[in-house]
Amino acid sequence: MRLAVIQGRLALITERGAIDVATASEFPSDPQAVYDQWERFRAWYAANPDTLRTAEAAPCRADELDAPVPAPRQVFGIGMNYRAHAAEAGLSVPESDPVVFAKYVSSVAGPGAVVTLPSEAVDYEAELVVVMGKRAHRVSRDEAWNHVAGLTIGQDLSERLVQFRGQTPQFSLGKSFPGFSPTGPVLVTPDEFDDPDNIEIGCTLNGQQMQKGRTSDLIFTVPRLIESLSAIVALLPGDLIFTGTPAGIGWARDPKVVLRPGDRLVTHAEVIGELTTTFTAG
């Protein structure tokens, strides 16, 4: 299943086009509401192939898409979750527990976001993003995928001066300026992947490949992240988990690469697609 949000309304993306969920079913158009009844929605989808074959479908334009989860209650970020990225950043690899920070909800944006740069120290980080479909508290890694609604891609944009300002790093603030959590273009359920633990992700900046990796290289896999987070926090339906970024960030390059007004950042993941983020001066 592939879900998108088109001009604020939840839609199923099919080979024929976009099917408006509220028109074709008993479920509301509110894209956030579906996650609180995810199991029932999945059951409806599986039981109604004929309805979906005959439902009216419309062309889906990229410029109409909003964030697939526009108003999550919690957004988690994971740091240093690829060994090569930890090495390029000159930081030690976490071994027993993931590095966790918050990305505030006001930073969430869609797959065509135009982001105002607050400084000349903003960096990119391509990431696989997990969307929770069921409340998870004290969930084992063996059961973790059963609590996931789907996967999308995102950018963990980072203002590095704020992030590392002072004696105590301010990861959450440095990564939560408006538009600093673009996601999309769609949510894809785990069954659509050959292996949801081995997905290629990456990004290009003005056409140049900057990052490329596979989620099989994660230090803490999606199931381990859910197990670790849910041991302490109740993960709620619709919550987002940014799972970490592979090597190739701009801040670790010599000379450093920072995002500038007019830049075009394209983030991609196999099966999911692409999101394009452009930047303007503050």
Side-chain angles (χ1 to χ4, degrees):
M1 185 196 314
R2 300 172 71 86
L3 281 176
V5 178
I6 302 175
Q7 296 182 333
R9 296 178 65 88
L10 185 67
L12 285 159
I13 304 301
T14 71
E15 292 181 354
R16 296 190 298 116
I19 298 173
D20 186 80
V21 167
T23 302
S25 76
E26 63 192 86
F27 296 91
S29 62
D30 177 4
Q32 208 64 42
V34 71
Y35 300 107
D36 283 322
Q37 44 191 330
W38 183 252
E39 291 300 316
R40 196 161 67 85
F41 181 72
R42 286 268 329 212
W44 169 83
Y45 177 84
N48 289 277
D50 292 338
T51 298
L52 297 172
R53 261 195 304 271
T54 59
E56 181 180 354
C60 177
R61 299 203 323 262
D63 61 359
E64 295 179 320
L65 294 175
D66 299 321
V69 186
R73 285 173 283 192
Q74 301 181 105
V75 182
F76 299 89
I78 306 299
M80 306 304 144
N81 205 16
Y82 290 79
R83 293 182 187 278
H85 171 52
E88 73 177 356
L91 298 171
S92 59
V93 175
E95 297 292 352
S96 58
D97 295 293
V99 175
V100 181
F101 53 89
K103 285 175 70 67
Y104 298 117
V105 173
S106 58
S107 68
V108 173
V114 178
V115 177
T116 299
L117 294 169
S119 74
E120 296 181 353
V122 178
D123 201 355
Y124 54 83
E125 294 190 10
E127 308 208 4
L128 183 75
V129 179
V130 175
V131 181
M132 301 301 297
K134 188 190 300 185
R135 187 181 188 274
H137 189 219
R138 298 177 181 173
V139 169
S140 73
R141 67 189 69 177
D142 294 335
E143 292 295 320
W145 277 115
N146 294 329
H147 291 72
V148 173
L151 302 170
T152 189
I153 50 178
Q155 269 289 337
D156 177 22
L157 298 174
S158 306
E159 206 285 356
R160 299 302 190 189
L161 300 182
V162 170
Q163 180 182 349
F164 295 113
R165 185 169 63 197
Q167 294 182 331
T168 304
Q170 296 282 356
F171 272 57
S172 295
L173 290 178
K175 293 167 174 283
S176 292
F177 286 84
F180 269 35
S181 303
T183 57
V186 295
L187 173 145
V188 181
T189 51
D191 58 287
E192 296 282 343
F193 298 88
D194 291 337
D195 181 356
D197 286 308
N198 185 16
I199 300 168
E200 182 181 288
I201 65 168
C203 69
T204 62
L205 180 61
N206 301 325
Q208 180 180 351
Q209 188 84 51
M210 307 302 285
Q211 291 184 284
K212 187 175 182 180
R214 302 197 70 87
T215 60
S216 55
D217 294 330
L218 286 168
I219 298 169
F220 297 95
T221 64
V222 169
R224 288 187 69 190
L225 289 174
I226 292 173
E227 180 181 71
S228 180
L229 290 170
S230 74
I232 299 171
V233 180
L235 303 177
L236 306 175
D239 282 357
L240 304 182
I241 304 172
F242 283 67
T243 58
T245 196
I249 63 168
W251 205 245
R253 294 172 180 263
D254 186 15
K256 297 183 189 303
V257 174
V258 294
L259 296 170
R260 301 187 183 282
D263 278 352
R264 185 172 186 266
L265 181 67
V266 179
T267 310
H268 54 84
E270 58 184 351
V271 180
I272 300 170
E274 295 182 346
L275 66 89
T276 300
T277 313
T278 54
F279 299 91
T280 61

